[in-house]
Amino acid sequence: MFNWDNKNVIKSLLLIGLFGFSQAGLTKDTGYYGYGKSATQEEIAAWDIDVRPDGKGLPVGSGSVSYGEELYEAKCALCHGAFGEGEGRWPKLAGGFDTLTDAKPEKTVGSYWPYASTLWDYIHRAMPFTAPQSLSVDETYALTAYVLYLNDIIDDEDFVLSKDNFTEIEMPNKDGFFVDPRPDVKNPACMENCKDPATIKVTSAIKGITPLQHIAKEEGANDKASSDSEDQQPKSADQVAVDNELKVGSAIYSQSCSICHGSGIAGAPKFGDKMAWAPRIKQGVEQLNKHAIEGYSGKTGIMPAKGGNPSLTDAEVSAAILYMIENSQ
Amino acid sequence: MKKLTTSTRGLLSEIKDEAAEMPVSERRNFLLKGLQLTAGSAFAMGAAKVMAETPARSNVPAWTKKLGRGVVSVPYGQPSKYEDDVIRRTVSWLTASTESSISMTPIHEMKGIITPSGLVFERYHAGLPDVNPDEHRLIIHGMVDNPITLTMDDLMRYPSESVIHFLECPANGGMEWHGTQMEALQFTHGMLSCCEWTGVKLSTILDEVGISADAKWVLAEGADGATMTRSIPIEKALDDTMIVYAQNGEKLRPEQGYPVRLFNPGWEGNTSIKWLRRLEIGDKPWYQREETSKYTDLMPDGKARKFSFIQETNSVITSPCPERPMLRKGVHELEGIAWSGRGTVKRVDVSLDGGVTWRQAKLKGLVLPKAITRFSLEINWQGEPLLLQSRSIDDSGYVQPTLTQLRDIRGSNSIYHKNSIHTWKLDTDGTVSNVQLG
């Protein structure tokens, strides 16, 4: 239908026809293109999961510190530690008060975060790490209350956190932030005699913590004359087969196994930990394959069948084991 | 491998049979040892290869004497197999899991200013999601007249624009605040890339939905397991922020937010929310985890800077560098890259003596705002030890600072935004190492 009353049509005719200049820089009216669908209030409510410091976005619900403790121990402690101290390299959630000016500050929910709303929002959207958006509203209130309890921000074990009392919580570091003032440094861009060469002190990198295998290889290649014939050999079919298996294994490992074996959570023997792997390797490949493919409950914990990923083939699991063993002995 | 003598073949299969009996732990070492043995007995092969590497002038290489592969033998083209070292790399001890981690672009191998899509550094907070574009929706709501949901088809109907901009993680170089740690350029500066991005300007969409006069902030949210969120000030949103769906001429790579991401030119990478699913317009910032716990810069007095968005000008010499040592004496084109989140790189100076004297380098190729810019300077190196530095100046007049200048104001605990002048130490044997000057 052609409708001359439609101001958009007129506007485009004016733009192309009468004036013929570029449209750039002109603000278009609302709904000019009219693409997509109007979002309904229901759709918006289902999508809008954020919570602001003023409490906007908090859903109706509540949860107690003690229920939070139960949930935390079941779903969070294995990574974040029973007291929020953080297992291995997983994030610390509690402590670190009065360390922000230290040489090694500990930034945690308690010592650093300015608003409790961020904690509710983040747990609800992103935790537990392996199953985000699996927590109910009440569970999120309970866990938020418990993490605040671990940080002594709530000190009453019987406290029940709810939509109604949420904004009363004050975080210790609420005044700890200010808006970025950069540019904050002025370098005069001196060109000559900028400093006394005698005063230059050179400090070097700590050696051995950067993965440099690829550079070592390049240097070898630059040094052809001295390299022996072994290095020049093309790889044999067997060596290639082993390499390929390790490549597959490495990919499977990082996808399906590293989540536990990378840090050694839940009693999993840690990748690279020779002591933990030695007695296991002694059992022989077959036993290891059987345990990993079928799953088993051992002395230190539960190894789920195929690491909890039934879509892996037996061969893929074996490749991952080979890769793990190669790097743990 | 080519011709194995029958005896070598026999030996190999013997080794293989024996290896099958062994526990897997020993299997590989044994296999490898066996291989070295056979390699020794077939030394003639090695000699042949050495000859092949020093061809006589009349020599016609094997690939010239036969028919090559036909078209679409590889329907999606891949780099030459000889380039298999040009890959992203990570530093595994930095993080607890690869799903919440970072990998770096091999910037020592990059040419020109565009980073190939497959080499752009990765940063995930909950792993890489596999988003189906047909099911994906972008919802725009909040303080607007007309909230809408868009499919990918809808989004691609809006007038599109293409821009070339760098994208950098604000933690690039952050491992070096306390001192040098990383022994290679890929790890000191590799959380950096520069691509052509195509999409629609966010302002076009904000006009379309009609924002309230009180609107001050936009919350962007991703569809990954972290539903990553950042609050963006409305001034930026109406200026040059884009919603992009293509990168270097093809659809975004999953690693860069397929099928759609936000893109904030010149700002810290984390604000350019990937796998974009929601934009909410509001009157206050949301203070999400990524703008409180993370991506805030702790100062020596215990207070922290928030909303530190801009990536200030930075530069680094990429040749030579630890991965690309000086192989020979003589004339060498010293090369590097500079970039600025405030605008265009105006000038780059280079020092060979640790900052005592500086010389202006030449800017080469395309010099674009908020994009990687290449600089070069010819030097004649006669084996003397040097302390190599570069210093970038952008069109706002801002000069890249020294590390000492940064530390004097910010201390060493701010993690982010370390854009200080970088120093490589070139030794008499041509090796290059990462150092800091005090």
PDB file of all heavy atoms in Angstrom, chain A residues 238-264:
ATOM      1  N   ASP A 238      55.362 -43.826  12.714  1.00  0.00           N
ATOM      2  CA  ASP A 238      55.007 -44.117  14.107  1.00  0.00           C
ATOM      3  C   ASP A 238      55.073 -42.876  14.974  1.00  0.00           C
ATOM      4  O   ASP A 238      54.204 -42.612  15.782  1.00  0.00           O
ATOM      5  CB  ASP A 238      55.957 -45.163  14.680  1.00  0.00           C
ATOM      6  CG  ASP A 238      55.720 -46.499  14.023  1.00  0.00           C
ATOM      7  OD1 ASP A 238      54.671 -47.090  14.296  1.00  0.00           O
ATOM      8  OD2 ASP A 238      56.565 -46.900  13.212  1.00  0.00           O
ATOM      9  N   GLN A 239      56.132 -42.114  14.735  1.00  0.00           N
ATOM     10  CA  GLN A 239      56.276 -40.903  15.521  1.00  0.00           C
ATOM     11  C   GLN A 239      55.115 -39.954  15.224  1.00  0.00           C
ATOM     12  O   GLN A 239      54.555 -39.340  16.130  1.00  0.00           O
ATOM     13  CB  GLN A 239      57.602 -40.236  15.163  1.00  0.00           C
ATOM     14  CG  GLN A 239      58.029 -39.226  16.184  1.00  0.00           C
ATOM     15  CD  GLN A 239      59.398 -38.680  15.839  1.00  0.00           C
ATOM     16  OE1 GLN A 239      59.917 -38.901  14.751  1.00  0.00           O
ATOM     17  NE2 GLN A 239      59.987 -37.966  16.773  1.00  0.00           N
ATOM     18  N   VAL A 240      54.752 -39.906  13.939  1.00  0.00           N
ATOM     19  CA  VAL A 240      53.631 -39.050  13.554  1.00  0.00           C
ATOM     20  C   VAL A 240      52.349 -39.545  14.223  1.00  0.00           C
ATOM     21  O   VAL A 240      51.564 -38.760  14.739  1.00  0.00           O
ATOM     22  CB  VAL A 240      53.472 -39.012  12.013  1.00  0.00           C
ATOM     23  CG1 VAL A 240      52.153 -38.375  11.622  1.00  0.00           C
ATOM     24  CG2 VAL A 240      54.640 -38.254  11.395  1.00  0.00           C
ATOM     25  N   ALA A 241      52.184 -40.871  14.256  1.00  0.00           N
ATOM     26  CA  ALA A 241      50.977 -41.432  14.873  1.00  0.00           C
ATOM     27  C   ALA A 241      50.902 -41.048  16.351  1.00  0.00           C
ATOM     28  O   ALA A 241      49.864 -40.638  16.856  1.00  0.00           O
ATOM     29  CB  ALA A 241      50.964 -42.944  14.711  1.00  0.00           C
ATOM     30  N   VAL A 242      52.031 -41.185  17.038  1.00  0.00           N
ATOM     31  CA  VAL A 242      52.045 -40.833  18.461  1.00  0.00           C
ATOM     32  C   VAL A 242      51.768 -39.342  18.626  1.00  0.00           C
ATOM     33  O   VAL A 242      50.961 -38.927  19.459  1.00  0.00           O
ATOM     34  CB  VAL A 242      53.406 -41.201  19.107  1.00  0.00           C
ATOM     35  CG1 VAL A 242      53.423 -40.746  20.559  1.00  0.00           C
ATOM     36  CG2 VAL A 242      53.639 -42.686  19.029  1.00  0.00           C
ATOM     37  N   ASP A 243      52.421 -38.531  17.793  1.00  0.00           N
ATOM     38  CA  ASP A 243      52.206 -37.082  17.861  1.00  0.00           C
ATOM     39  C   ASP A 243      50.740 -36.733  17.642  1.00  0.00           C
ATOM     40  O   ASP A 243      50.175 -35.903  18.338  1.00  0.00           O
ATOM     41  CB  ASP A 243      53.051 -36.351  16.815  1.00  0.00           C
ATOM     42  CG  ASP A 243      54.500 -36.244  17.272  1.00  0.00           C
ATOM     43  OD1 ASP A 243      54.762 -36.615  18.440  1.00  0.00           O
ATOM     44  OD2 ASP A 243      55.338 -35.808  16.481  1.00  0.00           O
ATOM     45  N   ASN A 244      50.135 -37.403  16.648  1.00  0.00           N
ATOM     46  CA  ASN A 244      48.738 -37.112  16.352  1.00  0.00           C
ATOM     47  C   ASN A 244      47.829 -37.489  17.518  1.00  0.00           C
ATOM     48  O   ASN A 244      46.913 -36.770  17.862  1.00  0.00           O
ATOM     49  CB  ASN A 244      48.283 -37.854  15.096  1.00  0.00           C
ATOM     50  CG  ASN A 244      48.750 -37.134  13.854  1.00  0.00           C
ATOM     51  OD1 ASN A 244      49.155 -35.974  13.935  1.00  0.00           O
ATOM     52  ND2 ASN A 244      48.722 -37.806  12.739  1.00  0.00           N
ATOM     53  N   GLU A 245      48.146 -38.665  18.110  1.00  0.00           N
ATOM     54  CA  GLU A 245      47.341 -39.103  19.238  1.00  0.00           C
ATOM     55  C   GLU A 245      47.457 -38.066  20.359  1.00  0.00           C
ATOM     56  O   GLU A 245      46.474 -37.728  21.009  1.00  0.00           O
ATOM     57  CB  GLU A 245      47.820 -40.467  19.705  1.00  0.00           C
ATOM     58  CG  GLU A 245      46.748 -41.197  20.495  1.00  0.00           C
ATOM     59  CD  GLU A 245      47.160 -42.620  20.835  1.00  0.00           C
ATOM     60  OE1 GLU A 245      48.074 -43.155  20.177  1.00  0.00           O
ATOM     61  OE2 GLU A 245      46.555 -43.177  21.767  1.00  0.00           O
ATOM     62  N   LEU A 246      48.664 -37.563  20.551  1.00  0.00           N
ATOM     63  CA  LEU A 246      48.856 -36.564  21.609  1.00  0.00           C
ATOM     64  C   LEU A 246      48.115 -35.273  21.289  1.00  0.00           C
ATOM     65  O   LEU A 246      47.586 -34.622  22.177  1.00  0.00           O
ATOM     66  CB  LEU A 246      50.345 -36.269  21.792  1.00  0.00           C
ATOM     67  CG  LEU A 246      51.111 -37.362  22.540  1.00  0.00           C
ATOM     68  CD1 LEU A 246      52.599 -37.096  22.487  1.00  0.00           C
ATOM     69  CD2 LEU A 246      50.639 -37.471  23.977  1.00  0.00           C
ATOM     70  N   LYS A 247      48.069 -34.931  20.006  1.00  0.00           N
ATOM     71  CA  LYS A 247      47.362 -33.705  19.609  1.00  0.00           C
ATOM     72  C   LYS A 247      45.873 -33.843  19.899  1.00  0.00           C
ATOM     73  O   LYS A 247      45.259 -32.963  20.494  1.00  0.00           O
ATOM     74  CB  LYS A 247      47.572 -33.460  18.103  1.00  0.00           C
ATOM     75  CG  LYS A 247      48.244 -32.123  17.825  1.00  0.00           C
ATOM     76  CD  LYS A 247      48.342 -31.882  16.325  1.00  0.00           C
ATOM     77  CE  LYS A 247      49.766 -31.486  15.960  1.00  0.00           C
ATOM     78  NZ  LYS A 247      50.056 -31.548  14.543  1.00  0.00           N
ATOM     79  N   VAL A 248      45.319 -34.994  19.481  1.00  0.00           N
ATOM     80  CA  VAL A 248      43.904 -35.261  19.772  1.00  0.00           C
ATOM     81  C   VAL A 248      43.705 -35.241  21.282  1.00  0.00           C
ATOM     82  O   VAL A 248      42.792 -34.603  21.814  1.00  0.00           O
ATOM     83  CB  VAL A 248      43.482 -36.645  19.204  1.00  0.00           C
ATOM     84  CG1 VAL A 248      42.096 -37.023  19.688  1.00  0.00           C
ATOM     85  CG2 VAL A 248      43.547 -36.633  17.691  1.00  0.00           C
ATOM     86  N   GLY A 249      44.623 -35.940  21.975  1.00  0.00           N
ATOM     87  CA  GLY A 249      44.510 -36.031  23.423  1.00  0.00           C
ATOM     88  C   GLY A 249      44.522 -34.671  24.083  1.00  0.00           C
ATOM     89  O   GLY A 249      43.751 -34.408  25.009  1.00  0.00           O
ATOM     90  N   SER A 250      45.368 -33.803  23.599  1.00  0.00           N
ATOM     91  CA  SER A 250      45.479 -32.473  24.188  1.00  0.00           C
ATOM     92  C   SER A 250      44.169 -31.707  24.034  1.00  0.00           C
ATOM     93  O   SER A 250      43.704 -31.034  24.960  1.00  0.00           O
ATOM     94  CB  SER A 250      46.645 -31.735  23.532  1.00  0.00           C
ATOM     95  OG  SER A 250      46.452 -30.360  23.594  1.00  0.00           O
ATOM     96  N   ALA A 251      43.552 -31.834  22.852  1.00  0.00           N
ATOM     97  CA  ALA A 251      42.289 -31.124  22.614  1.00  0.00           C
ATOM     98  C   ALA A 251      41.178 -31.681  23.507  1.00  0.00           C
ATOM     99  O   ALA A 251      40.435 -30.928  24.138  1.00  0.00           O
ATOM    100  CB  ALA A 251      41.889 -31.252  21.144  1.00  0.00           C
ATOM    101  N   ILE A 252      41.098 -33.014  23.573  1.00  0.00           N
ATOM    102  CA  ILE A 252      40.064 -33.639  24.414  1.00  0.00           C
ATOM    103  C   ILE A 252      40.303 -33.256  25.875  1.00  0.00           C
ATOM    104  O   ILE A 252      39.387 -32.903  26.612  1.00  0.00           O
ATOM    105  CB  ILE A 252      40.121 -35.184  24.280  1.00  0.00           C
ATOM    106  CG1 ILE A 252      39.892 -35.593  22.843  1.00  0.00           C
ATOM    107  CG2 ILE A 252      39.123 -35.852  25.225  1.00  0.00           C
ATOM    108  CD1 ILE A 252      38.509 -35.404  22.328  1.00  0.00           C
ATOM    109  N   TYR A 253      41.586 -33.325  26.261  1.00  0.00           N
ATOM    110  CA  TYR A 253      41.907 -33.019  27.652  1.00  0.00           C
ATOM    111  C   TYR A 253      41.418 -31.620  28.025  1.00  0.00           C
ATOM    112  O   TYR A 253      40.746 -31.437  29.033  1.00  0.00           O
ATOM    113  CB  TYR A 253      43.419 -33.123  27.887  1.00  0.00           C
ATOM    114  CG  TYR A 253      43.838 -32.530  29.213  1.00  0.00           C
ATOM    115  CD1 TYR A 253      43.643 -33.245  30.395  1.00  0.00           C
ATOM    116  CD2 TYR A 253      44.368 -31.246  29.287  1.00  0.00           C
ATOM    117  CE1 TYR A 253      43.970 -32.681  31.620  1.00  0.00           C
ATOM    118  CE2 TYR A 253      44.694 -30.686  30.500  1.00  0.00           C
ATOM    119  CZ  TYR A 253      44.495 -31.404  31.666  1.00  0.00           C
ATOM    120  OH  TYR A 253      44.808 -30.837  32.866  1.00  0.00           O
ATOM    121  N   SER A 254      41.734 -30.618  27.185  1.00  0.00           N
ATOM    122  CA  SER A 254      41.376 -29.264  27.612  1.00  0.00           C
ATOM    123  C   SER A 254      39.865 -29.054  27.569  1.00  0.00           C
ATOM    124  O   SER A 254      39.331 -28.273  28.331  1.00  0.00           O
ATOM    125  CB  SER A 254      42.130 -28.194  26.824  1.00  0.00           C
ATOM    126  OG  SER A 254      42.041 -28.430  25.470  1.00  0.00           O
ATOM    127  N   GLN A 255      39.189 -29.806  26.686  1.00  0.00           N
ATOM    128  CA  GLN A 255      37.733 -29.674  26.620  1.00  0.00           C
ATOM    129  C   GLN A 255      37.025 -30.362  27.778  1.00  0.00           C
ATOM    130  O   GLN A 255      36.108 -29.811  28.364  1.00  0.00           O
ATOM    131  CB  GLN A 255      37.249 -30.362  25.347  1.00  0.00           C
ATOM    132  CG  GLN A 255      36.570 -29.473  24.359  1.00  0.00           C
ATOM    133  CD  GLN A 255      36.358 -30.275  23.078  1.00  0.00           C
ATOM    134  OE1 GLN A 255      35.997 -31.451  23.111  1.00  0.00           O
ATOM    135  NE2 GLN A 255      36.615 -29.643  21.960  1.00  0.00           N
ATOM    136  N   SER A 256      37.448 -31.595  28.079  1.00  0.00           N
ATOM    137  CA  SER A 256      36.616 -32.429  28.952  1.00  0.00           C
ATOM    138  C   SER A 256      37.273 -32.850  30.263  1.00  0.00           C
ATOM    139  O   SER A 256      36.587 -33.342  31.146  1.00  0.00           O
ATOM    140  CB  SER A 256      36.202 -33.702  28.209  1.00  0.00           C
ATOM    141  OG  SER A 256      35.561 -33.381  27.014  1.00  0.00           O
ATOM    142  N   CYS A 257      38.574 -32.710  30.385  1.00  0.00           N
ATOM    143  CA  CYS A 257      39.231 -33.263  31.568  1.00  0.00           C
ATOM    144  C   CYS A 257      39.893 -32.196  32.433  1.00  0.00           C
ATOM    145  O   CYS A 257      39.989 -32.341  33.640  1.00  0.00           O
ATOM    146  CB  CYS A 257      40.288 -34.296  31.169  1.00  0.00           C
ATOM    147  SG  CYS A 257      39.826 -35.304  29.746  1.00  0.00           S
ATOM    148  N   SER A 258      40.339 -31.091  31.788  1.00  0.00           N
ATOM    149  CA  SER A 258      41.143 -30.110  32.528  1.00  0.00           C
ATOM    150  C   SER A 258      40.339 -29.452  33.632  1.00  0.00           C
ATOM    151  O   SER A 258      40.907 -28.989  34.615  1.00  0.00           O
ATOM    152  CB  SER A 258      41.664 -29.036  31.573  1.00  0.00           C
ATOM    153  OG  SER A 258      40.596 -28.281  31.064  1.00  0.00           O
ATOM    154  N   ILE A 259      39.032 -29.423  33.477  1.00  0.00           N
ATOM    155  CA  ILE A 259      38.205 -28.743  34.462  1.00  0.00           C
ATOM    156  C   ILE A 259      38.476 -29.340  35.856  1.00  0.00           C
ATOM    157  O   ILE A 259      38.533 -28.611  36.831  1.00  0.00           O
ATOM    158  CB  ILE A 259      36.711 -28.819  34.069  1.00  0.00           C
ATOM    159  CG1 ILE A 259      35.892 -27.854  34.876  1.00  0.00           C
ATOM    160  CG2 ILE A 259      36.145 -30.204  34.127  1.00  0.00           C
ATOM    161  CD1 ILE A 259      35.881 -26.484  34.308  1.00  0.00           C
ATOM    162  N   CYS A 260      38.696 -30.664  35.960  1.00  0.00           N
ATOM    163  CA  CYS A 260      39.046 -31.268  37.251  1.00  0.00           C
ATOM    164  C   CYS A 260      40.552 -31.524  37.357  1.00  0.00           C
ATOM    165  O   CYS A 260      41.182 -31.178  38.341  1.00  0.00           O
ATOM    166  CB  CYS A 260      38.313 -32.590  37.447  1.00  0.00           C
ATOM    167  SG  CYS A 260      36.526 -32.374  37.587  1.00  0.00           S
ATOM    168  N   HIS A 261      41.124 -32.132  36.291  1.00  0.00           N
ATOM    169  CA  HIS A 261      42.524 -32.539  36.396  1.00  0.00           C
ATOM    170  C   HIS A 261      43.492 -31.365  36.289  1.00  0.00           C
ATOM    171  O   HIS A 261      44.630 -31.457  36.712  1.00  0.00           O
ATOM    172  CB  HIS A 261      42.843 -33.606  35.338  1.00  0.00           C
ATOM    173  CG  HIS A 261      42.201 -34.928  35.636  1.00  0.00           C
ATOM    174  ND1 HIS A 261      42.723 -35.802  36.553  1.00  0.00           N
ATOM    175  CD2 HIS A 261      41.060 -35.500  35.185  1.00  0.00           C
ATOM    176  CE1 HIS A 261      41.939 -36.879  36.637  1.00  0.00           C
ATOM    177  NE2 HIS A 261      40.916 -36.714  35.807  1.00  0.00           N
ATOM    178  N   GLY A 262      43.033 -30.258  35.720  1.00  0.00           N
ATOM    179  CA  GLY A 262      43.899 -29.093  35.582  1.00  0.00           C
ATOM    180  C   GLY A 262      44.302 -28.528  36.931  1.00  0.00           C
ATOM    181  O   GLY A 262      45.442 -28.115  37.132  1.00  0.00           O
ATOM    182  N   SER A 263      43.372 -28.498  37.861  1.00  0.00           N
ATOM    183  CA  SER A 263      43.680 -27.905  39.164  1.00  0.00           C
ATOM    184  C   SER A 263      43.677 -28.946  40.269  1.00  0.00           C
ATOM    185  O   SER A 263      44.086 -28.676  41.384  1.00  0.00           O
ATOM    186  CB  SER A 263      42.645 -26.835  39.483  1.00  0.00           C
ATOM    187  OG  SER A 263      41.367 -27.432  39.468  1.00  0.00           O
ATOM    188  N   GLY A 264      43.221 -30.165  39.941  1.00  0.00           N
ATOM    189  CA  GLY A 264      43.172 -31.210  40.956  1.00  0.00           C
ATOM    190  C   GLY A 264      41.988 -31.069  41.892  1.00  0.00           C
ATOM    191  O   GLY A 264      42.043 -31.523  43.037  1.00  0.00           O
TER     192      GLY A 264
END
